[in-house]
Amino acid sequence: MTAEGTALPGPDGRLRCPWGLSTEDYTAYHDTEWGRPVHGDDALFERLSLEAFQSGLSWLTILRRREGFRAAFAGFRIAEVAEFTDADRERLLADPGIIRNRAKIDATIANARVAAGWEPGELDALVWSHAPDPSARRAPRTLAEVPAITPESTALSKELKRRGFRFTGPTTAYALMQACGLVDDHLADCCARAPRAAG
């Protein structure tokens, strides 16, 4: 018997966070991407944008449309998205390969225009400046110990909003921090945590 929300064995016998076993898409994402450090302005802009689109939806919904999003939003290259026109906006609203939410599409374009005015590396530096000290965090043993927001995600959200970003609330900011490796919320017994913890 295992406690509810603890790491569970997958088909290969390795322990994983329970959510990483629900579908093959999640298993691949869990094992190879989630919680690993992501750097680069465009890469972080993509993650911020996708986390914003995920708001109110399952991450699986976004994950399965990620290539569609990349095609629709010029690979999330900030400089290119910042130049999107009203015609691009209408194209996106008609694109079945993405989530056709007008407010989120508008926010993505607006956020690109904000970030396009920053110095190279500025978005990366801003996001990573909010990473907490890893030695101050105990590895969660159950899903119940994984927070939805933290003081750091609240501060990151506040700073992004202050600088003109939309759809970047504290929960979205924390999801970004988890996905991009600013924090490691793989459960203590999870196989995806072990190699880094041993290093």
Side-chain angles (χ1 to χ4, degrees):
M1 293 287 291
T2 60
E4 187 175 351
T6 57
L8 298 174
D12 57 4
R14 300 165 75 204
L15 292 174
R16 289 179 174 84
C17 302
W19 65 265
L21 293 169
S22 58
T23 70
E24 289 183 8
D25 303 84
Y26 267 160
T27 301
Y29 177 68
H30 169 275
D31 288 3
T32 64
E33 289 190 64
W34 195 76
R36 296 177 185 257
V38 173
H39 283 282
D41 293 342
D42 291 343
L44 288 168
F45 173 68
E46 174 182 343
R47 297 300 186 94
L48 263 173
S49 301
L50 293 179
E51 294 293 352
F53 271 101
Q54 185 270 333
S55 180
L57 302 170
S58 158
W59 176 246
L60 188 61
T61 300
I62 304 301
L63 193 60
R64 288 178 170 169
R65 288 172 170 80
R66 184 161 57 169
E67 291 308 315
F69 273 106
R70 286 172 171 167
F73 283 96
F76 288 99
R77 290 180 291 275
I78 293 170
E80 294 183 39
V81 179
E83 297 296 324
F84 276 14
T85 64
D86 287 344
D88 288 303
R89 184 170 173 271
E90 294 308 310
R91 168 181 60 80
L92 292 166
L93 286 168
D95 190 336
I98 66 170
I99 304 301
R100 292 174 285 183
N101 179 295
R102 185 181 302 272
K104 294 175 182 179
I105 288 170
D106 287 348
T108 302
I109 297 170
N111 291 346
R113 289 173 180 164
V114 170
W118 296 1
E119 293 296 320
E122 193 169 348
L123 178 59
D124 187 300
L126 186 156
V127 169
W128 277 89
S129 71
H130 290 81
D133 178 359
S135 67
R137 293 174 56 89
R138 185 173 67 87
R141 301 206 67 82
T142 69
L143 293 179
E145 295 177 15
V146 179
I149 62 172
T150 62
E152 293 86 1
S153 78
T154 300
L156 174 56
S157 168
K158 185 176 179 180
E159 181 61 17
L160 285 167
K161 286 181 178 179
R162 185 185 74 79
R163 299 183 65 166
F165 271 68
R166 306 181 200 168
F167 271 93
T168 53
T171 303
T172 295
Y174 193 65
L176 172 82
M177 294 171 75
Q178 291 175 303
C180 295
L182 282 77
V183 297
D184 185 352
D185 276 346
H186 284 287
L187 300 183
D189 295 328
C190 177
C191 65
R193 171 181 279 275
R196 294 195 297 281

